Amino acid sequence: MNLLYRPSSILGKVALLSGLLTRGNDRIGTALCTVPAASVRVLARCNWHRTRSSTYPKGATSEHLPISSATASAPEARFATGNTCSLSSVARSISTMVDPAALGLTEEDVELIVKRYLQEKRDRYNAKFRVLSYHVKRLSEEPIGYLGDHYFLNVVLREKMVHYSAEEEEYAEEEYLSFFLKILPEQVPKLADYVREMGCFRKEIQLYTHLIPRLQDVTIGTKPFAPRAYLTKDEKLLVFENLKAEGYRMLENNKSLLDFAHLEVALKTVAKLHAASLVLEERTKQSIMKLYSGHLNENVYIDDDTYVRKTNLDNAIKALCELIKRIDKYRNSDKLDFILAKFPEVIRRIYDFARPSTEYRNVFNHGDLWNNNLMFKYDEPETSAPNSDPVSRRTGQLIPTAGILLDYQLSRYAPPALDVFTVITLGSESEFRAKHQSTLLDAYYEALRAELALNQLDIGQILPRSEFDASCDYYELAGLVESCLFNMTILVPMEIAKPLMDGSAPFDDFIRDERTKVRLIVESFEIDATFRHRFTDILSEIIDKYVLGGAI
């Protein structure tokens, strides 16, 4: 019998003492929730002599369990280093769990997720297994984005062996799997309404059901550009592979800036997505917009007074104008009135940029390429500093070996240069771009050429360098505008952002109410040095080049 259900085990005593109910396919039955997989491993380690199961079952690496994630508690971390167990530590871990049923996740869903995982990752189409337990835990105590809530699903299972008796099977190795959940933020009704109005989950579910799997088939045999989705449900829940288990992780404490090596890998990953799009169109002789009608319709920049994002953009422009008045080089300038009059016109060009081009070749654009939607794989722990020089390759600082792109809620159909400049501009500052932008554009184009060549396609016939360069000249402003608008949420200090995301402050006012938007953005500028520095940098580049310089 599993430790979870064995009353003589410490875990069994914890369950009995605390009145904890368990969920699983065990003979004992099904109830409300489970002990975390980390705690199962911890307590199994403390009582290794009580069970024939391996302390580290097959497939249970540190990345599979929350014990190694940003959400791991200090007690869990101490368990990982071999310190003694504590019932109070287990109780604290249990208290952070979330009832899967409250998220719309059923036991049948979990079994389907595991089945699809085994089929896709291990080519085991007829694998027989039993889910022993599972639990859901928040990815982080702090919100990490506005457009969804994020969780880990951890599953303990045992493979059924035809040559085992029922008793022998009880002592077979247990296996630990971990998955990533993204769920509509229904705990904050106004935020959920906003996400529904934009159709974010509906779009991503459509893409993961139809288009992205086909693009992944096109690029089979190469490193992936997107995680695998094992379940989509009710236009509000998606379950993905846990990329930490594959060696990927996000950059942390980098203030949304990327060094040269990370930007280069990010652009090469974007090139995989764009190349898959081009290969599919070349093979079918049809555009993706026709093949998958409606899947890539614009849901961010729609110039319609009745659309929520139009109101949000208008309010954002007013807030940006207030920031311009507080930048030293403009506040006392005799050109300030001219700047404030022309600046809104420059920002509103984003409506044109977001439409499919009639001049340049279009591709599947990711559309949401900020720091938290990029994950990287390394050979060793990451150490390089934001916006460091590419000579880091010769100084021993770690270089990423691969990247992957998350979150396809804002995807669109537009030229490659729009994604390219969003990545570069959101991930760097003007001084860095002045030095390295041309090299990064070369790196992207070479990666795109190589991906197309793998499919026997000539980039010169599909996207000549002269056309790419012309599109870069056109879409460079789009990257700057995107940086302004994205950073108005990304860089807002947590003391302002958290109440908006957890519902303790009215999120709707931040989107729809001009005074609230302006007040919170100006407050962010005044109290947060990073916010102030980054907006001074990006607004100065837009004003000097496109407002005063007339580069439009």
Side-chain angles (χ1 to χ4, degrees):
M1 182 178 286
N2 186 301
L3 274 175
L4 191 59
Y5 306 115
R6 185 178 295 162
S8 61
S9 70
I10 284 183
L11 188 52
K13 289 184 173 67
V14 173
L16 291 173
L17 288 171
S18 64
L20 180 69
L21 296 175
T22 60
R23 178 191 298 274
N25 290 332
D26 198 280
R27 288 184 289 250
I28 288 183
T30 301
L32 290 179
C33 62
T34 65
V35 172
S39 299
V40 172
R41 188 177 86 177
V42 166
L43 292 167
R45 181 182 300 172
C46 293
N47 290 274
W48 61 269
H49 59 283
R50 292 181 176 265
T51 177
R52 290 167 56 192
S53 297
S54 171
T55 302
Y56 296 97
K58 180 174 59 178
T61 65
S62 61
E63 291 84 358
H64 279 88
L65 302 173
I67 197 167
S68 68
S69 74
T71 64
S73 64
E76 287 174 326
R78 286 197 296 274
F79 281 140
T81 60
N83 287 5
T84 58
C85 296
S86 161
L87 295 184
S88 61
S89 300
V90 175
R92 282 195 296 273
S93 179
I94 291 169
S95 71
T96 65
M97 291 160 32
V98 178
D99 179 10
L103 304 179
L105 192 70
T106 68
E107 188 165 340
E108 291 73 22
D109 292 333
V110 174
E111 291 179 350
L112 180 60
I113 291 163
V114 172
K115 180 179 179 180
R116 288 173 173 171
Y117 171 87
L118 294 175
Q119 290 175 345
E120 194 272 326
K121 288 292 185 181
R122 302 179 187 175
D123 199 25
R124 287 160 56 185
Y125 284 85
N126 297 310
K128 303 295 184 182
F129 61 89
R130 179 156 58 103
V131 173
L132 302 179
S133 63
Y134 62 93
H135 83 277
V136 173
K137 186 174 182 179
R138 281 192 173 276
L139 173 63
S140 171
E141 293 182 4
E142 300 289 349
I144 64 169
Y146 287 90
L147 301 183
D149 287 339
H150 305 86
Y151 303 85
F152 282 126
L153 165 66
N154 293 289
V155 182
V156 184
L157 67 141
R158 181 181 290 141
E159 186 173 355
K160 291 183 178 180
M161 308 297 289
V162 294
H163 57 280
Y164 277 20
S165 68
E167 290 74 19
E168 288 174 326
E169 191 177 295
E170 291 292 348
Y171 290 91
E173 284 189 341
E174 293 174 359
E175 186 168 356
Y176 297 80
L177 300 179
S178 182
F179 302 92
F180 178 76
L181 276 67
K182 184 163 67 174
I183 297 171
L184 185 74
E186 293 181 311
Q187 300 302 314
V188 185
K190 291 293 185 181
L191 178 55
D193 289 344
Y194 173 68
V195 174
R196 285 193 191 95
E197 186 171 348
M198 289 181 63
C200 295
F201 274 74
R202 181 172 62 253
K203 170 177 272 190
E204 189 164 29
I205 286 173
Q206 280 184 329
L207 291 172
Y208 264 105
T209 302
H210 304 291
L211 179 52
I212 290 177
R214 191 163 183 188
L215 295 178
Q216 289 171 323
D217 288 342
V218 165
T219 57
I220 194 166
T222 66
K223 292 180 179 179
F225 60 80
R228 293 286 182 176
Y230 295 116
L231 183 72
T232 61
K233 188 175 181 181
D234 301 333
E235 293 193 359
K236 68 175 186 179
L237 184 150
L238 298 100
V239 181
F240 302 96
E241 62 182 311
N242 181 359
L243 291 169
K244 287 178 67 69
E246 301 295 326
Y248 290 92
R249 66 179 183 270
M250 292 180 186
L251 284 178
E252 296 178 354
N253 304 316
N254 64 328
K255 299 179 181 179
S256 294
L257 293 176
L258 303 175
D259 64 15
F260 184 93
H262 285 86
L263 279 170
E264 184 178 37
V265 169
L267 288 169
K268 289 179 178 179
T269 309
V270 171
K272 287 180 180 291
L273 169 64
H274 294 170
S277 170
L278 291 167
V279 171
L280 180 60
E281 290 190 337
E282 290 298 310
R283 288 180 180 176
T284 62
K285 305 303 180 184
Q286 295 185 73
S287 75
I288 285 177
M289 292 294 276
K290 184 174 181 180
L291 286 169
Y292 295 93
S293 178
H295 285 48
L296 290 176
N297 286 351
E298 182 62 31
N299 64 329
V300 183
Y301 301 117
I302 300 175
D303 194 2
D304 181 340
D305 290 337
T306 65
Y307 190 57
V308 61
R309 289 285 302 189
K310 173 72 183 316
T311 301
N312 186 39
L313 180 61
D314 290 343
N315 293 337
I317 289 172
K318 292 181 176 69
L320 291 170
C321 286
E322 289 301 315
L323 299 189
I324 292 170
K325 296 175 186 178
R326 289 162 172 79
I327 296 175
D328 291 340
K329 67 187 293 187
Y330 304 120
R331 71 166 71 188
N332 297 317
S333 170
D334 57 4
K335 297 180 180 179
L336 179 60
D337 289 342
F338 173 81
I339 292 169
L340 296 175
K342 190 173 180 181
F343 180 80
E345 168 194 336
V346 173
I347 298 299
R348 288 193 176 97
R349 290 200 62 202
I350 195 65
Y351 290 120
D352 294 326
F353 292 135
R355 297 188 183 101
S357 176
T358 58
E359 185 173 356
Y360 306 111
R361 182 72 183 259
N362 297 293
V363 297
F364 182 153
N365 259 235
H366 181 281
D368 193 10
L369 289 168
W370 70 292
N371 188 71
N372 278 17
N373 287 342
L374 302 169
M375 294 185 76
F376 299 93
K377 181 180 283 189
Y378 307 89
D379 290 331
E380 300 176 32
E382 189 273 331
T383 58
S384 56
N387 283 336
S388 61
D389 194 271
V391 296
S392 59
R393 294 180 182 278
R394 300 191 297 274
T395 63
Q397 291 181 320
L398 183 74
I399 303 298
T401 58
I404 204 162
L405 313 176
L406 313 178
D407 287 357
Y408 292 79
Q409 296 181 325
L410 309 182
S411 298
R412 59 173 60 93
Y413 192 61
L418 180 55
D419 262 353
V420 167
F421 276 98
T422 301
V423 173
I424 293 174
T425 312
L426 272 171
S428 66
E429 297 178 343
S430 58
E431 182 179 356
F432 176 88
R433 289 192 295 276
K435 187 176 181 181
H436 300 301
Q437 183 166 288
S438 62
T439 305
L440 289 169
L441 293 176
D442 289 344
Y444 166 84
Y445 191 78
E446 170 57 25
L448 185 66
R449 183 206 63 76
E451 293 291 333
L452 292 175
L454 288 174
N455 290 276
Q456 294 76 50
L457 294 174
D458 179 6
I459 195 172
Q461 300 297 317
I462 296 172
L463 183 64
R465 183 62 195 247
S466 59
E467 180 182 329
F468 175 68
D469 288 342
S471 70
C472 287
D473 291 341
Y474 181 74
Y475 284 95
E476 184 173 6
L477 172 59
L480 296 171
V481 173
E482 286 274 75
S483 185
C484 265
L485 299 176
F486 272 74
N487 282 332
M488 291 182 80
T489 54
I490 295 170
L491 295 180
V492 168
M494 186 53 69
E495 58 264 37
I496 294 176
K498 186 176 180 181
L500 297 171
M501 290 187 277
D502 67 18
S504 56
F507 177 83
D508 205 44
D509 288 351
F510 183 67
I511 298 299
R512 303 178 193 269
D513 183 71
E514 175 186 333
R515 288 181 297 177
T516 301
K517 183 84 167 187
V518 171
R519 175 177 60 81
L520 293 178
I521 294 303
V522 169
E523 183 180 347
S524 299
F525 187 86
E526 292 176 344
I527 70 172
D528 189 87
T530 297
F531 189 98
R532 184 167 54 254
H533 170 75
R534 296 285 292 283
F535 270 92
T536 298
D537 181 66
I538 196 72
L539 288 171
S540 297
E541 187 169 0
I542 291 174
I543 291 167
D544 292 349
K545 189 170 183 179
Y546 295 96
V547 176
L548 299 178
I552 295 179

